[in-house]
Amino acid sequence: LGGAEWTPIGLKYSPTDKKDKPFSGNFDGQGHSISNFSIAFSSGLKGRGFFGYLSGVVTISNLNLNNVTLKSNAQFSTGYGLLVGLNQSYLTIENCKIDGSSSISVQNHTNGNYSLGIGSLVGAHYIGETESETLSGTGVYISDCSVKSDIDVSNLDTSGYGFVGVGGIMGAQIYGYAWSPDIDITIQKC
């Protein structure tokens, strides 16, 4: 894409002054590669990634991302990931690859009472704000994927009860509601 900025597929806003636009369904990249782009910074988005926000039942397969950058110092976000920023779905990711000089850089971030997940494939798997939202059923299944990227995190303000989770494949599983259900997360052959 010649260094162009990518607007995430699927949007969740914070505060909720705008209508969320989640991605739901199947995305089969058919083995194609998308290269040389940065994920657009936009104030007020809770998820940043090639896919910003997922809801419902989602399958992402056979997609390669090369030389992707995500840089942010945004406030009150929930998930940063090169493939998926914020997941609130039953998600399957199969045969996807992050390669090249891909990187995530999060600096001078104020999260306060919000939690943040930073991961190369999936930033955060978010369970829900209410018990009814939580019981709707979510989970993550990741198989046959590879990740080669750098993650740089510095100067984060986590004063309050929020936390920051950082991982090469998935950053964090976040419970927005006090009740913690059993959620299946499976990562294999990665």
Side-chain angles (χ1 to χ4, degrees), residues 61-146:
S61 59
N62 307 310
L63 179 64
N64 303 314
L65 301 180
N66 299 302
N67 302 321
V68 182
T69 59
L70 188 159
K71 293 183 182 180
S72 185
N73 62 354
Q75 311 301 306
F76 309 113
S77 290
T78 305
Y80 295 115
L82 295 174
L83 183 61
V84 175
L86 178 61
N87 176 53
Q88 196 170 9
S89 72
Y90 189 84
L91 173 63
T92 299
I93 300 174
E94 295 177 310
N95 196 32
C96 290
K97 182 192 257 185
I98 308 285
D99 209 349
S101 298
S102 297
S103 65
I104 300 174
S105 176
V106 180
Q107 300 175 352
N108 304 316
H109 184 92
T110 301
N111 238 37
N113 292 333
Y114 295 85
S115 295
L116 173 63
I118 303 167
S120 293
L121 275 181
V122 179
H125 176 62
Y126 185 65
I127 304 304
E129 296 286 342
T130 64
E131 185 173 2
S132 63
E133 210 176 24
T134 300
L135 293 174
S136 65
T138 64
V140 177
Y141 173 78
I142 299 171
S143 177
D144 299 297
C145 294
S146 65

